[in-house]
């Protein structure tokens, strides 16, 4: 039975469903315990019948909520009946202020906040407070309405059982709320990290985007070590023709594989940033020991792309053209991009499939 309850509890999706389930289970347990106490202590037939009916109603609400998927309706009706019908009746039948029902009054009031929202919450809270005050005052003004609990032993048993059940319920619900908050906080942080990651990455290739590149060009790491950084710009040769001939899916595949070669260099380098600059253009901000090393790296990438096999697109020969500049030669980021862009287009206009580090003539 305990395993089934645990399994059923874990199957609840929302915090409201979990708390509602706990409330009903505690209500059922409290009602049946009250039934047994009032019966064996001979506190009157009406007392134990009322307690039994309350337990059966809690079971009914449980079935209504989860078998017929009427969770919202069940929560509202449960809160109203528990606070304004069941609690007052049990209060009068179980010793009034000398019994354990005061704890259940507070518990049911506590459960309204996580179970209900908006105006239903405000209305039920107000009605519950009115019901509570009216019940206590009625017991004070008309003590003859209060039955049972003349026996000290029965009173002690009732208070202990009420304290244990109400305490366990409050601790359980508090722990659930704390865990839910911690989980929501963790999920929010993960979502924010994902959004931040998406904001600086190109969805198709997985490379960084222009925003990340310009952020890097303004970072303290770059500014302090600018003389060690070099910018390379690549462009896929004849890419429009590939798109027009083989379709955009094939074009995307070309971009992904070219990006993969540039990404290998980013991973191999220290502080390198591979970027899809736009369309079929790619950039590599690399930290190298010399300008020659940066040019050699660009040549390796160019040769690797040239050597690619494209069985799915017969007759296709993918190449890239590029330009390389030392970042220390320029003061502003825009000047770096403008000059490396000029070298790249010079490479494309003078034969393609090559890397240019300076314009001849």
């Amino acid at each position: 039975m305990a395993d089934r309850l645990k399994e059923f509890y874990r199957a609840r999706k929302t915090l409201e469903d979990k708390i509602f389930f706990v409330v009903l289970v505690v209500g059922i347990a409290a009602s049946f315990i009250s039934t047994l106490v009032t019966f064996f202590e001979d506190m009157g037939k009406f007392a134990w019948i009322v307690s039994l009916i309350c337990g059966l109603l809690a079971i009914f609400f449980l079935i209504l909520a989860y078998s017929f998927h009427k969770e919202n309706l069940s929560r509202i009706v449960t809160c109203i009946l528990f606070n304004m019908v069941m609690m007052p009746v049990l209060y009068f039948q179980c010793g009034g202020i000398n019994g354990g029902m005061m704890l259940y009054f507070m518990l049911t009031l506590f459960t309204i906040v996580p179970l209900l929202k908006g105006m239903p919450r405000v209305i039920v809270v107000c009605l519950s407070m009115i019901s509570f005050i009216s019940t206590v005052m009625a017991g004070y003004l008309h003590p003859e309405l209060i039955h049972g609990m003349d026996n000290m032993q029965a009173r002690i048993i009732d208070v202990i059982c009420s304290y244990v059940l109400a305490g366990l319920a409050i601790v359980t619900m508090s722990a659930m709320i704390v865990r839910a908050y911690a989980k929501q906080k963790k999920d929010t942080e993960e979502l924010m990290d994902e959004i931040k990651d998406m904001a600086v990455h190109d969805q198709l290739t997985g490379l960084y985007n222009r925003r990340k590149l310009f952020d890097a060009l303004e970072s303290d790491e770059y500014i302090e070590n600018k003389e060690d950084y070099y910018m390379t710009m690549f462009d896929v040769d004849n890419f429009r023709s590939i798109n027009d001939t083989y379709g955009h899916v094939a074009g995307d595949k070309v971009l992904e594989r070219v990006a993969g070669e540039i990404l290998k260099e980013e991973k191999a380098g220290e502080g390198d940033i591979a970027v899809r600059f736009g369309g079929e253009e790619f950039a590599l901000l690399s930290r190298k020991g010399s300008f020659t090393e940066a040019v050699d790296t660009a040549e390796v990438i160019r040769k690797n792309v040239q050597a690619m096999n494209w069985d799915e697109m017969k007759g296709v020969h993918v190449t890239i053209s590029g330009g390389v500049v030392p970042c220390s030669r320029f003061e502003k980021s825009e000047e770096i991009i403008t000059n490396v862009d000029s070298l790249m287009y010079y490479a494309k206009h003078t034969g393609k499939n090559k890397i240019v580090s300076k314009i001849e003539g």
Side-chain angles (χ1 to χ4, degrees), residues 294-306:
V295 174
D296 289 343
T297 297
E299 277 290 349
V300 169
I301 295 173
R302 182 193 66 78
K303 290 177 181 178
N304 288 342
V305 172
Q306 183 182 5

Side-chain angles (χ1 to χ4, degrees), residues 274-286:
V275 175
R276 184 183 179 191
F277 197 74
E280 65 271 25
E281 293 184 10
F282 300 91
L284 178 64
L285 179 63
S286 57

Side-chain angles (χ1 to χ4, degrees), residues 8 27 61 82 92 118 125 162 191 193 209 220 226 236 270 350:
F8 190 82
F61 292 140
F82 267 36
F92 289 120
V125 166
S162 300
L191 179 61
D193 289 340
N209 58 22
D220 293 338
K226 190 174 182 178
V236 179
E270 183 178 348
T350 56

Side-chain angles (χ1 to χ4, degrees), residues 204-261:
L204 175 64
T205 63
L207 300 185
Y208 287 116
N209 58 22
R210 293 174 60 153
R211 176 179 178 179
K212 177 66 176 181
L213 176 62
F214 284 105
D215 286 345
L217 292 173
E218 295 175 0
S219 67
D220 293 338
E221 176 69 21
Y222 169 79
I223 293 172
E224 292 171 3
N225 301 278
K226 190 174 182 178
E227 65 278 0
D228 297 329
Y229 279 94
Y230 301 88
M231 180 72 74
T232 304
M233 188 77 75
F234 300 99
D235 187 273
V236 179
D237 297 327
N238 305 313
F239 182 73
R240 181 175 295 180
S241 176
I242 295 173
N243 255 345
D244 292 343
T245 304
Y246 298 96
H248 290 285
V249 173
D252 288 348
K253 179 62 69 175
V254 169
L255 295 177
E256 288 175 348
R257 291 187 63 183
V258 171
E261 289 300 324

